[in-house]
Amino acid sequence: MATRLTTQDASFYFLEAGTTPMHVGSLAVFRTPRGGFTYDELLTLVESRLALVPRYRQKVREVAFGLARPVWVDDRDFDITYHIRRSALPKPGSTEQLHDLVARLTSRPLDRTRPLWEMYLVEGLARNRFAIFTKSHSALVDGDTALEISQVILDDAKSPPPLAEELWMPAREPSDKALVVSALAEMVARPGEAVEAVRGAVGDVAQAANGAVRAVAKVAAVVRTAALTAPTSPLNTTISRNRRFSVARTDLDDYRAVRARFGGTVNDVVLTVVAGALRNWLLSRGEPLGPYTTVRALVPLSVHAPAAVGEDTVGHPAGQVESFLVDLPVGEPNAVVRLSHVAHATEAHGRQGRGVTASTLMKLSGFAPATLHAMGARVGSSLSQRMFNIVVTNVPGPQFPLYAGGARMLEMYPVPPLVRNQAMTIGLTSYDGHVYYGVNADRAAMPDIDVVTTLLYEALDELVDATSDGKSVR
């Protein structure tokens, strides 16, 4: 039986354009176990877990004439060897070569005629390691009914108990006629949507688009930041489909030490590190910085509720995702004062209790008929240049080792997508005592991406050094 995409999922699906592939990536590096780890073992592992993520055997079918949102249908020709691929670096493969490979793979859009995911086993890494890189379309993963596949192939034990075998029988795929009939039946049941669909079909695009614009205004109304329009920044420019990828690996204890000395939360320290790195990156480009210069970040933060004041948001399981805008004080030269500004801004956000949720940001097109989901999503993508300069995602992970097929995971890096006119995005996650940054950027706009990751280390060191210098917030 076909299941219709939610408004949010459809928004992500139609948001994708040639220069903005909307898949979320994940790079995990493993220690090769004594007996090795082969492509066939990965196939077997993933096949045994697909029952936990049934959407990974489904593809998207659009409805003729845009009468309704697309539907998920079982892929009767599902071929796991198409989705799980093998790649190798020339031995001994370096981390730089691995990151170049990830950048190339991230640049490629997913095949829309098949289930919207890919996984790569990357062999040949130096120091007896291998990597697994996954790509899952944003429409595929909602965190509720559909999880990201790399989450379900990881175990907290080296030898987990086997799962019960499952015999998968794909449902019959509906015909185009059946999808149209179903869409018309829904329109009869919901006359309001039918009226909007007719308006869209006859070309009254402006009215529906204005509805999406009004939705943006409602989103903006609950964002308690200094101004609606984000500051001008080299972070917002025309981008291509080609990407660069770089990483930083830091110790979670350093963030906790800074928090213990100066207060706030671990997330405040993270954002301050990002602010410090962006400050020095802007200076390296000769950008003028005044004392009140800021970079506005959209922060989709995984939080657990209720969260106590000062409690870590890194290293705990996520309960929900809430997004807010924060002005990073890149003009402030004092790292401790930067932390004070960030902590004050995030504390104010917490007091308001009116955060912009991730779903709200992407449900803008719900005000338009189904044929205009693409239009509404494009209005949503314009937020990247009007309301914020950069996205910084912070997702907590487990503070104990995880394994895939007996291989211990050493590192895990997010590869978040770029949206239109966004030159760089920063994702980070904590795992087993470390905080891992994944920096995804446009290849032409960010030839100096490695400078950014180097400056992340320097910004953290500056805060750690301040904990032993007796510095305090002014």
Side-chain angles (χ1 to χ4, degrees), residues 219-240:
V219 171
V222 299
V223 178
R224 306 299 185 180
T225 49
L228 175 61
T229 304
T232 301
S233 171
L235 290 167
N236 303 115
T237 185
T238 301
I239 63 173
S240 68

Side-chain angles (χ1 to χ4, degrees), residues 24-40:
V24 178
S26 175
L27 174 64
V29 179
F30 296 84
R31 176 74 63 198
T32 305
R34 181 172 298 179
F37 189 90
T38 66
Y39 174 77
D40 288 338

Side-chain angles (χ1 to χ4, degrees), residues 59 140 149 180 193 290 311 346 369 410 435 452:
K59 61 184 180 180
L140 182 66
I149 196 167
V180 169
E193 288 190 9
E311 188 174 3
T346 57
L410 304 176
V435 177
V452 175

